[in-house]
Amino acid sequence: MSTRPRWGILATGGIARSMTADLLLAGHAVTAVGSRRAEAAEAFAAEFGIGRAHGGYEQLVADPEVDVVYVATPHSHHAANAVLAIEAGKHVLVEKAFTLTQPEAQRVADAAAAAGVVVMEAMWTRFLPHMVRLREILASGVLGEVRTVLADHTQALPTNPEHRLQNPELGGGALLDLGIYPVAFAVDVLGMPQGVRAHAALTPTGVDRQTAMILDYADGRQAVLHTALDTAGPNRAAVIGTEGSIEIDRTFYVPTSFTVRDREWNEIERYESRVEGRGMHYQAAEMERRIAGEAPASLPLEETVAIMGLLDEVRRQVGVSYAADEA
């Protein structure tokens, strides 16, 4: 392998474009792209100046000029695509939600362990500078005992019944596309809960239109979370402790600002993000450090698998099921 891992992009949709643009902006090596349609791969390669275009995912993962594969397909295909790359001996960064179900996530984790490759979920928010600073503040103890996390992710997205987000066969619904952000944020701050209570309103196609969740902890801490796919909301988050709080501005899961206040509401710190591009290259840098064995996992694979189990339980409570649940 060359000094710096060489990236292959699996799929050519919007998220793949955003990631590739940030990879190139930050100086990462992108050597190949693969699509189910050769013309789509060739157009993508031409757009970003990538030297190798493959009309098939099998060809991409077999490319000897690729060391790490970024899986950017819909999450209904993540498990199969990730295992395909793992079995070809590639490291893999998998878009979130990591898979459709916890058993799928465990299958990917087991395959990675057997192959001896690094696999990580592309939960890019965790690696953004404002989240790094937030964790430093929490570790300092300035908030006292952290009691509560509040977070929402709500967008006005297509309601066409034929759209991917409305289709249970493609893992549609607010929870896996949008709700994964507040859930992952709460777990980042508070750890895995001992339980969850959830309520949802479903679409005519049987996926969740909006979902509210309370994560419960043995010591009484709580995370109160909300997600919806047909209404645009504040998309803010807060961490509340006995001695102070942190309010993260809109939109909390992208590079943004936040304010730290004491219990009398006096401002202690104002943080402003200064990020080039969209900020997706921070997760790529983490991935490359892990491949090189230079960094502990900021997002361990076992945590990703556990979060998928939490999302499975939410879906069970609200009555959303996928074909993968029966596999």
Side-chain angles (χ1 to χ4, degrees):
M1 188 172 73
S2 63
T3 302
R4 192 159 200 178
R6 298 161 298 180
W7 288 78
I9 310 300
L10 193 152
T12 56
I15 195 69
R17 280 183 160 74
S18 295
M19 180 64 169
T20 301
D22 273 5
L23 285 170
L24 295 173
L25 178 67
H28 296 272
V30 181
T31 55
V33 60
S35 173
R36 291 173 299 176
R37 297 184 299 111
E39 58 270 28
E42 291 163 2
F44 191 98
E47 179 181 351
F48 291 102
I50 299 170
R52 302 162 77 87
H54 297 287
Y57 299 152
E58 293 82 3
Q59 292 90 330
L60 173 72
V61 302
D63 190 330
E65 298 297 316
V66 171
D67 304 306
V68 53
V69 172
Y70 168 61
V71 173
T73 48
H75 43 253
S76 53
H77 295 73
H78 285 177
N81 296 153
V83 170
L84 181 72
I86 290 166
E87 290 180 345
K90 310 301 186 185
H91 306 289
V92 190
L93 180 65
V94 185
E95 254 310 322
K96 42 88 199 96
F98 189 68
T99 54
L100 280 180
T101 67
Q102 186 180 49
E104 282 191 347
Q106 190 62 60
R107 179 162 66 92
V108 173
D110 291 344
V117 298
V118 174
V119 173
M120 189 176 84
E121 181 183 15
M123 179 44 69
W124 65 298
T125 302
R126 180 160 300 198
F127 310 106
L128 293 174
H130 75 282
M131 288 302 303
V132 174
R133 178 58 187 146
L134 182 144
R135 287 192 291 272
E136 291 172 348
I137 293 168
L138 294 178
S140 76
V142 70
L143 299 190
E145 180 186 343
V146 174
R147 296 274 181 84
T148 309
V149 167
L150 307 174
D152 82 288
H153 186 181
T154 54
Q155 293 190 37
L157 298 173
T159 57
N160 179 349
E162 304 302 317
H163 192 275
R164 174 184 67 84
L165 286 169
Q166 304 290 328
N167 187 346
E169 296 301 315
L170 297 177
L175 183 65
L176 295 194
D177 250 272
L178 309 180
I180 181 66
Y181 282 101
V183 170
F185 174 74
V187 171
D188 190 12
V189 174
L190 298 177
M192 285 298 299
Q194 68 169 6
V196 59
R197 290 170 283 168
H199 183 74
L202 305 187
T203 68
T205 59
V207 301
D208 64 306
R209 176 173 59 78
Q210 64 175 20
T211 297
M213 295 162 278
I214 299 176
L215 307 189
D216 295 312
Y217 293 80
D219 55 5
R221 294 174 298 155
Q222 293 181 331
V224 181
L225 315 173
H226 183 255
T227 185
L229 55 70
D230 61 352
T231 53
N235 292 317
R236 298 169 68 98
V239 180
I240 303 169
T242 55
E243 300 300 323
S245 63
I246 301 174
E247 292 180 284
I248 308 179
D249 298 342
R250 178 182 177 92
T251 300
F252 82 89
Y253 52 85
V254 306
T256 189
S257 51
F258 65 72
T259 303
V260 186
R261 300 183 186 276
D262 65 19
R263 61 186 301 162
E264 281 76 40
W265 212 243
N266 300 305
E267 184 176 311
I268 299 173
E269 178 180 334
R270 178 66 178 172
Y271 180 89
E272 301 282 349
S273 286
R274 298 288 185 268
V275 172
E276 285 191 277
R278 192 165 186 251
M280 298 183 76
H281 54 286
Y282 292 102
Q283 64 185 348
E286 170 83 5
M287 185 72 179
E288 292 189 6
R289 287 192 295 269
R290 288 182 57 185
I291 291 170
E294 297 174 351
S298 301
L299 178 56
L301 191 52
E302 55 266 28
E303 182 175 313
T304 290
V305 173
I307 288 174
M308 288 310 308
L310 179 59
L311 298 178
D312 283 355
E313 174 59 18
V314 170
R315 289 193 300 107
R316 186 194 68 78
Q317 290 186 23
V318 304
V320 173
S321 62
Y322 303 136
D325 293 317
E326 303 171 6

